[in-house]
């Protein structure tokens, strides 16, 4: 027998790729981009209705922010876990059913533990179901990505939405009511007769503040509509 026949075949060892870090550069961008460069309100112009409707005061705006962040994160997670089981032709129906279930849970929690705020936000919490930010992240990201990345995407989009409406509410309550979280700011600093602006408690004031925010945000990022 030849020596070639006696030689054992070479076994190629598979080299395993190292697992991606939990907070890798790519994953940090998933969270950070919606906060600034790809903000859902100022850049994508989504979720404008609630940004105008519930930002008269800080307290309901904060509660709405928490509700939207919770719904986005958990709906992203659930859809990502189910993404390989959902037939393409019914995916929108499934997404809506999951969002509606989560919104109902949020509404019931508010009704049980924070009824006064439920009376203020009841109708607007229900409208989270039709919030384009939530549906957009499910369709554009969660349906094609793993659960952990989808959670990060939900956090980024949710907080990107939240900080914008909180800033709008801050200026509207401060200049419209002279307070922040019902604390009389101008009285506390010795200006009890500081005139408030009635325009800020109207939707026109919300449009103005939001328009200035969009202008500042796009000026900083250099974003231009095409």
């Amino acid at each position: 027998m030849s020596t070639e026949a006696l030689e054992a075949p070479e076994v190629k060892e598979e080299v395993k790729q190292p697992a991606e870090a939990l907070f890798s550069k790519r994953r940090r961008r998933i969270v950070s981009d919606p906060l600034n460069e790809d903000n859902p309100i100022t850049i994508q112009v989504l979720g404008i209705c609630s940004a105008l409707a519930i930002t008269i005061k800080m307290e309901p705006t904060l509660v709405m922010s928490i509700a939207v962040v919770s719904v986005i994160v958990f709906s992203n997670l659930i859809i990502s876990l189910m993404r390989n089981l959902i037939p393409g032709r019914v995916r929108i129906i499934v997404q809506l059913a999951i969002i509606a279930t989560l919104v109902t849970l949020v509404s019931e929690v508010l009704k049980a533990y924070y009824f006064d705020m439920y009376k203020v936000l009841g109708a607007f919490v229900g409208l989270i179901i039709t919030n384009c930010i939530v549906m957009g992240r499910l369709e554009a990201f969660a349906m094609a990505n793993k659960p952990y990345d989808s959670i990060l995407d939900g956090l980024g989009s949710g907080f990107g939405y939240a900080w914008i409406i909180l800033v709008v509410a801050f200026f509207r309550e401060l200049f419209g009511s002279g307070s922040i979280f019902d604390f009389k700011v101008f009285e506390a600093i010795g200006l009890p007769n500081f005139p408030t602006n009635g325009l800020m408690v109207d939707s026109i004031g919300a449009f103005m503040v939001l328009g200035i925010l969009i202008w500042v945000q796009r000026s900083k990022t250099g974003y231009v509509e095409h």
Side-chain angles (χ1 to χ4, degrees):
M1 297 177 67
S2 65
T3 56
E4 293 181 359
L6 296 174
E7 290 179 356
E10 293 183 2
V11 178
K12 294 183 179 180
E13 294 183 2
E14 293 185 4
V15 178
K16 291 185 178 180
Q17 296 294 329
E20 185 177 5
L22 288 177
F23 298 103
S24 63
K25 183 177 180 180
R26 181 186 71 85
R27 283 173 167 165
R28 290 199 301 271
R29 286 191 63 86
I30 291 175
V31 178
S32 64
D33 280 356
L35 298 178
N36 184 34
E37 296 179 2
D38 195 26
N39 189 274
I41 293 181
T42 58
I43 302 299
Q44 300 177 39
V45 195
L46 301 174
I48 297 294
C49 295
S50 55
L52 302 177
I54 51 89
T55 54
I56 297 176
K57 289 186 174 293
M58 288 288 289
E59 188 177 9
T61 305
L62 179 60
V63 174
M64 187 68 169
S65 299
I66 295 171
V68 171
V69 171
S70 301
V71 170
I72 293 180
V73 169
F74 283 104
S75 59
N76 264 20
L77 172 61
I78 295 169
I79 287 294
S80 180
L81 290 170
M82 297 174 58
R83 68 189 187 281
N84 296 323
L85 305 174
I86 302 173
R89 59 186 177 182
V90 296
R91 69 186 189 282
I92 301 297
I93 298 173
V94 174
Q95 291 168 11
L96 282 172
I98 290 171
I99 296 171
T101 301
L102 292 171
V103 169
T104 302
L105 288 174
V106 169
S107 181
E108 292 302 311
V109 168
L110 281 177
K111 188 186 295 186
Y113 298 103
Y114 204 175
F115 189 70
D116 289 340
M117 190 55 59
Y118 170 78
K119 290 190 292 185
V120 175
L121 288 178
F124 298 108
V125 170
L127 289 176
I128 296 175
I129 297 171
T130 59
N131 193 312
C132 299
I133 300 172
V134 184
M135 284 295 299
R137 297 327 299 162
L138 296 183
E139 186 69 10
F141 197 91
M143 284 294 294
N145 289 275
K146 294 180 180 180
Y148 180 67
D149 288 348
S150 297
I151 291 173
L152 295 179
D153 178 76
L155 287 172
S157 297
F159 285 125
Y161 165 87
W163 84 260
I164 292 293
I165 66 171
L166 285 169
V167 169
V168 174
F170 175 85
F171 287 107
R172 290 187 71 188
E173 184 174 0
L174 179 63
F175 294 112
S177 304
S179 62
I180 296 295
F181 285 105
D182 291 328
F183 174 76
K184 297 297 182 180
V185 176
F186 295 118
E187 290 183 12
I189 62 176
L191 298 172
N193 297 320
F194 188 88
T196 56
N197 190 335
L199 197 64
M200 286 296 160
V201 298
D202 193 77
S203 56
I204 298 173
F207 270 112
M208 291 173 61
V209 176
L210 188 57
I212 292 171
L213 273 177
I214 291 175
W215 171 62
V216 171
Q217 183 85 348
R218 293 190 177 194
S219 297
K220 289 180 63 178
T221 61
Y223 179 80
V224 178
E225 293 281 358
H226 295 289

